[in-house]
PDB file of all heavy atoms in Angstrom:
ATOM      1  N   THR E  56      44.922 104.760 137.970  1.00 96.00           N
ATOM      2  CA  THR E  56      46.113 105.587 138.081  1.00 96.00           C
ATOM      3  C   THR E  56      46.640 105.932 136.691  1.00 96.00           C
ATOM      4  O   THR E  56      46.641 105.086 135.769  1.00 96.00           O
ATOM      5  CB  THR E  56      47.217 104.840 138.849  1.00 96.00           C
ATOM      6  OG1 THR E  56      46.729 104.444 140.124  1.00 96.00           O
ATOM      7  CG2 THR E  56      48.449 105.723 139.059  1.00 96.00           C
ATOM      8  N   LYS E  57      47.097 107.187 136.591  1.00 95.00           N
ATOM      9  CA  LYS E  57      47.677 107.614 135.323  1.00 95.00           C
ATOM     10  C   LYS E  57      48.774 108.629 135.600  1.00 95.00           C
ATOM     11  O   LYS E  57      48.560 109.546 136.407  1.00 95.00           O
ATOM     12  CB  LYS E  57      46.609 108.246 134.425  1.00 95.00           C
ATOM     13  CG  LYS E  57      46.899 108.199 132.984  1.00 95.00           C
ATOM     14  CD  LYS E  57      45.637 108.440 132.192  1.00 95.00           C
ATOM     15  CE  LYS E  57      45.829 108.121 130.706  1.00 95.00           C
ATOM     16  NZ  LYS E  57      44.585 108.341 129.949  1.00 95.00           N
ATOM     17  N   SER E  58      49.908 108.456 134.962  1.00 94.00           N
ATOM     18  CA  SER E  58      51.039 109.340 135.230  1.00 94.00           C
ATOM     19  C   SER E  58      51.399 110.166 134.000  1.00 94.00           C
ATOM     20  O   SER E  58      51.220 109.711 132.848  1.00 94.00           O
ATOM     21  CB  SER E  58      52.254 108.540 135.679  1.00 94.00           C
ATOM     22  OG  SER E  58      52.041 107.969 136.930  1.00 94.00           O
ATOM     23  N   ASN E  59      51.891 111.356 134.247  1.00 92.00           N
ATOM     24  CA  ASN E  59      52.392 112.241 133.208  1.00 92.00           C
ATOM     25  C   ASN E  59      53.633 112.941 133.791  1.00 92.00           C
ATOM     26  O   ASN E  59      53.532 113.981 134.432  1.00 92.00           O
ATOM     27  CB  ASN E  59      51.309 113.274 132.843  1.00 92.00           C
ATOM     28  CG  ASN E  59      51.784 114.257 131.780  1.00 92.00           C
ATOM     29  OD1 ASN E  59      52.919 114.204 131.323  1.00 92.00           O
ATOM     30  ND2 ASN E  59      50.914 115.149 131.373  1.00 92.00           N
ATOM     31  N   GLY E  60      54.769 112.277 133.626  1.00 95.00           N
ATOM     32  CA  GLY E  60      55.982 112.820 134.220  1.00 95.00           C
ATOM     33  C   GLY E  60      55.925 112.758 135.732  1.00 95.00           C
ATOM     34  O   GLY E  60      55.686 111.693 136.314  1.00 95.00           O
ATOM     35  N   ARG E  61      56.106 113.921 136.363  1.00 97.00           N
ATOM     36  CA  ARG E  61      56.065 113.958 137.844  1.00 97.00           C
ATOM     37  C   ARG E  61      54.641 114.065 138.415  1.00 97.00           C
ATOM     38  O   ARG E  61      54.456 114.142 139.608  1.00 97.00           O
ATOM     39  CB  ARG E  61      56.898 115.135 138.323  1.00 97.00           C
ATOM     40  CG  ARG E  61      58.388 114.986 138.049  1.00 97.00           C
ATOM     41  CD  ARG E  61      59.184 116.211 138.526  1.00 97.00           C
ATOM     42  NE  ARG E  61      58.785 117.439 137.813  1.00 97.00           N
ATOM     43  CZ  ARG E  61      57.972 118.355 138.296  1.00 97.00           C
ATOM     44  NH1 ARG E  61      57.472 118.240 139.517  1.00 97.00           N
ATOM     45  NH2 ARG E  61      57.657 119.406 137.563  1.00 97.00           N
ATOM     46  N   TYR E  62      53.668 114.079 137.523  1.00 97.00           N
ATOM     47  CA  TYR E  62      52.269 114.162 137.912  1.00 97.00           C
ATOM     48  C   TYR E  62      51.649 112.756 137.847  1.00 97.00           C
ATOM     49  O   TYR E  62      51.725 112.099 136.822  1.00 97.00           O
ATOM     50  CB  TYR E  62      51.492 115.103 137.003  1.00 97.00           C
ATOM     51  CG  TYR E  62      51.992 116.527 136.966  1.00 97.00           C
ATOM     52  CD1 TYR E  62      52.769 116.965 135.891  1.00 97.00           C
ATOM     53  CD2 TYR E  62      51.659 117.423 137.968  1.00 97.00           C
ATOM     54  CE1 TYR E  62      53.191 118.265 135.853  1.00 97.00           C
ATOM     55  CE2 TYR E  62      52.099 118.733 137.922  1.00 97.00           C
ATOM     56  CZ  TYR E  62      52.854 119.172 136.872  1.00 97.00           C
ATOM     57  OH  TYR E  62      53.290 120.459 136.825  1.00 97.00           O
ATOM     58  N   THR E  63      50.982 112.358 138.968  1.00 97.00           N
ATOM     59  CA  THR E  63      50.255 111.100 138.975  1.00 97.00           C
ATOM     60  C   THR E  63      48.846 111.347 139.467  1.00 97.00           C
ATOM     61  O   THR E  63      48.652 111.871 140.565  1.00 97.00           O
ATOM     62  CB  THR E  63      50.945 110.074 139.883  1.00 97.00           C
ATOM     63  OG1 THR E  63      52.274 109.827 139.395  1.00 97.00           O
ATOM     64  CG2 THR E  63      50.142 108.767 139.906  1.00 97.00           C
ATOM     65  N   ALA E  64      47.877 110.979 138.633  1.00 97.00           N
ATOM     66  CA  ALA E  64      46.476 111.132 139.024  1.00 97.00           C
ATOM     67  C   ALA E  64      45.907 109.793 139.397  1.00 97.00           C
ATOM     68  O   ALA E  64      46.248 108.769 138.793  1.00 97.00           O
ATOM     69  CB  ALA E  64      45.687 111.747 137.872  1.00 97.00           C
ATOM     70  N   THR E  65      45.046 109.785 140.383  1.00 97.00           N
ATOM     71  CA  THR E  65      44.341 108.540 140.796  1.00 97.00           C
ATOM     72  C   THR E  65      42.850 108.812 140.726  1.00 97.00           C
ATOM     73  O   THR E  65      42.399 109.966 140.846  1.00 97.00           O
ATOM     74  CB  THR E  65      44.725 108.131 142.206  1.00 97.00           C
ATOM     75  OG1 THR E  65      44.248 109.108 143.156  1.00 97.00           O
ATOM     76  CG2 THR E  65      46.204 107.954 142.370  1.00 97.00           C
ATOM     77  N   LEU E  66      42.103 107.756 140.513  1.00 97.00           N
ATOM     78  CA  LEU E  66      40.647 107.874 140.447  1.00 97.00           C
ATOM     79  C   LEU E  66      40.016 106.702 141.161  1.00 97.00           C
ATOM     80  O   LEU E  66      40.396 105.537 140.927  1.00 97.00           O
ATOM     81  CB  LEU E  66      40.183 107.881 138.978  1.00 97.00           C
ATOM     82  CG  LEU E  66      38.668 107.832 138.747  1.00 97.00           C
ATOM     83  CD1 LEU E  66      37.994 109.090 139.300  1.00 97.00           C
ATOM     84  CD2 LEU E  66      38.364 107.694 137.273  1.00 97.00           C
ATOM     85  N   ASP E  67      39.111 107.003 142.079  1.00 95.00           N
ATOM     86  CA  ASP E  67      38.285 105.986 142.730  1.00 95.00           C
ATOM     87  C   ASP E  67      36.840 106.297 142.378  1.00 95.00           C
ATOM     88  O   ASP E  67      36.224 107.183 142.970  1.00 95.00           O
ATOM     89  CB  ASP E  67      38.494 106.039 144.261  1.00 95.00           C
ATOM     90  CG  ASP E  67      37.754 104.894 144.968  1.00 95.00           C
ATOM     91  OD1 ASP E  67      36.748 104.392 144.436  1.00 95.00           O
ATOM     92  OD2 ASP E  67      38.209 104.508 146.047  1.00 95.00           O
ATOM     93  N   ALA E  68      36.334 105.579 141.371  1.00 91.00           N
ATOM     94  CA  ALA E  68      34.992 105.861 140.876  1.00 91.00           C
ATOM     95  C   ALA E  68      33.913 105.457 141.891  1.00 91.00           C
ATOM     96  O   ALA E  68      32.791 105.948 141.805  1.00 91.00           O
ATOM     97  CB  ALA E  68      34.770 105.162 139.550  1.00 91.00           C
ATOM     98  N   ASP E  69      34.250 104.563 142.802  1.00 92.00           N
ATOM     99  CA  ASP E  69      33.260 104.161 143.806  1.00 92.00           C
ATOM    100  C   ASP E  69      33.001 105.238 144.832  1.00 92.00           C
ATOM    101  O   ASP E  69      31.849 105.527 145.178  1.00 92.00           O
ATOM    102  CB  ASP E  69      33.753 102.890 144.532  1.00 92.00           C
ATOM    103  CG  ASP E  69      33.758 101.695 143.570  1.00 92.00           C
ATOM    104  OD1 ASP E  69      32.918 101.673 142.666  1.00 92.00           O
ATOM    105  OD2 ASP E  69      34.602 100.791 143.776  1.00 92.00           O
ATOM    106  N   THR E  70      34.092 105.871 145.295  1.00 95.00           N
ATOM    107  CA  THR E  70      33.952 106.937 146.270  1.00 95.00           C
ATOM    108  C   THR E  70      33.884 108.304 145.606  1.00 95.00           C
ATOM    109  O   THR E  70      33.688 109.320 146.268  1.00 95.00           O
ATOM    110  CB  THR E  70      35.125 106.957 147.245  1.00 95.00           C
ATOM    111  OG1 THR E  70      36.322 107.192 146.540  1.00 95.00           O
ATOM    112  CG2 THR E  70      35.215 105.639 148.005  1.00 95.00           C
ATOM    113  N   LYS E  71      33.998 108.354 144.307  1.00 95.00           N
ATOM    114  CA  LYS E  71      33.931 109.595 143.506  1.00 95.00           C
ATOM    115  C   LYS E  71      34.987 110.597 143.983  1.00 95.00           C
ATOM    116  O   LYS E  71      34.690 111.737 144.303  1.00 95.00           O
ATOM    117  CB  LYS E  71      32.540 110.182 143.579  1.00 95.00           C
ATOM    118  CG  LYS E  71      31.484 109.263 142.980  1.00 95.00           C
ATOM    119  CD  LYS E  71      30.137 109.917 142.858  1.00 95.00           C
ATOM    120  CE  LYS E  71      29.148 108.970 142.174  1.00 95.00           C
ATOM    121  NZ  LYS E  71      27.820 109.559 142.014  1.00 95.00           N
ATOM    122  N   GLN E  72      36.218 110.075 144.032  1.00 97.00           N
ATOM    123  CA  GLN E  72      37.327 110.922 144.445  1.00 97.00           C
ATOM    124  C   GLN E  72      38.498 110.759 143.487  1.00 97.00           C
ATOM    125  O   GLN E  72      38.714 109.673 142.937  1.00 97.00           O
ATOM    126  CB  GLN E  72      37.794 110.535 145.860  1.00 97.00           C
ATOM    127  CG  GLN E  72      36.765 110.767 146.936  1.00 97.00           C
ATOM    128  CD  GLN E  72      37.246 110.374 148.319  1.00 97.00           C
ATOM    129  OE1 GLN E  72      37.975 109.408 148.458  1.00 97.00           O
ATOM    130  NE2 GLN E  72      36.894 111.123 149.336  1.00 97.00           N
ATOM    131  N   SER E  73      39.224 111.835 143.299  1.00 98.00           N
ATOM    132  CA  SER E  73      40.452 111.799 142.511  1.00 98.00           C
ATOM    133  C   SER E  73      41.510 112.586 143.238  1.00 98.00           C
ATOM    134  O   SER E  73      41.198 113.504 144.021  1.00 98.00           O
ATOM    135  CB  SER E  73      40.217 112.381 141.117  1.00 98.00           C
ATOM    136  OG  SER E  73      41.416 112.418 140.368  1.00 98.00           O
ATOM    137  N   SER E  74      42.760 112.256 142.988  1.00 98.00           N
ATOM    138  CA  SER E  74      43.846 113.036 143.557  1.00 98.00           C
ATOM    139  C   SER E  74      44.883 113.248 142.491  1.00 98.00           C
ATOM    140  O   SER E  74      45.014 112.462 141.545  1.00 98.00           O
ATOM    141  CB  SER E  74      44.464 112.340 144.769  1.00 98.00           C
ATOM    142  OG  SER E  74      45.064 111.102 144.383  1.00 98.00           O
TER     143      SER E  74
END
Side-chain angles (χ1 to χ4, degrees):
Chain E
T56 303
K57 205 162 191 179
S58 292
N59 178 359
R61 293 179 297 102
Y62 300 101
T63 299
T65 65
L66 173 64
D67 186 334
D69 292 330
T70 62
K71 298 188 176 181
Q72 296 179 324
S73 176
S74 65

